[in-house]
Amino acid sequence: MMRVKGKIIAENGTFPFEVLKTGGGVSLRVELSEEPFEYSTDCNCLEPLELLGLLLPAIEEEIGEIKGVFVEEVVEEKRSPLEQLRGVLWGKRFIG
């Protein structure tokens, strides 16, 4: 699992975001003034900041011109050797 938190700075304010990557996929949540912008995909081939980058044009339509994106925190949980071995035995390869 990987969690990335930060802020998007736009002409209309500052908007916190969180991207969460798990074995099941990647999800994004941006706290907007009215209602959060949320998106998720079951493809875990994308890295958290790749997903954010792909969705910046859609987010920009909601909040106005984006001046910058700042990452404040990245938390990555590593798999234990036992979990890695289970993955290999089950035909999945995990690096971490």
Side-chain angles (χ1 to χ4, degrees):
M1 180 193 82
M2 179 185 285
R3 176 177 288 128
V4 178
K5 291 183 178 184
K7 292 182 180 166
I8 299 171
I9 310 300
E11 61 186 16
N12 297 327
T14 301
F15 305 91
F17 72 86
E18 179 176 279
V19 189
L20 181 64
K21 179 178 181 178
T22 65
V26 186
S27 62
L28 167 72
R29 180 180 176 97
V30 180
E31 296 297 332
L32 303 179
S33 303
E34 299 288 319
E35 182 176 315
F37 178 94
E38 296 179 321
Y39 183 84
S40 64
T41 177
D42 60 358
C43 174
N44 63 0
C45 58
L46 290 171
E47 292 302 320
L49 293 178
E50 287 177 315
L51 179 64
L52 177 63
L54 290 171
L55 294 173
L56 280 179
I59 295 167
E60 193 169 44
E61 286 184 21
E62 298 288 326
I63 63 175
E65 183 180 350
I66 294 174
K67 305 290 186 185
V69 176
F70 298 94
V71 174
E72 297 174 328
E73 179 183 19
V74 177
V75 177
E76 184 173 5
E77 288 185 11
K78 302 273 185 183
R79 294 184 180 269
S80 72
L82 180 59
E83 288 172 319
Q84 290 179 18
L85 180 58
R86 276 191 202 134
V88 169
L89 293 176
W90 287 11
K92 297 178 182 176
R93 184 173 168 208
F94 294 103
I95 301 173

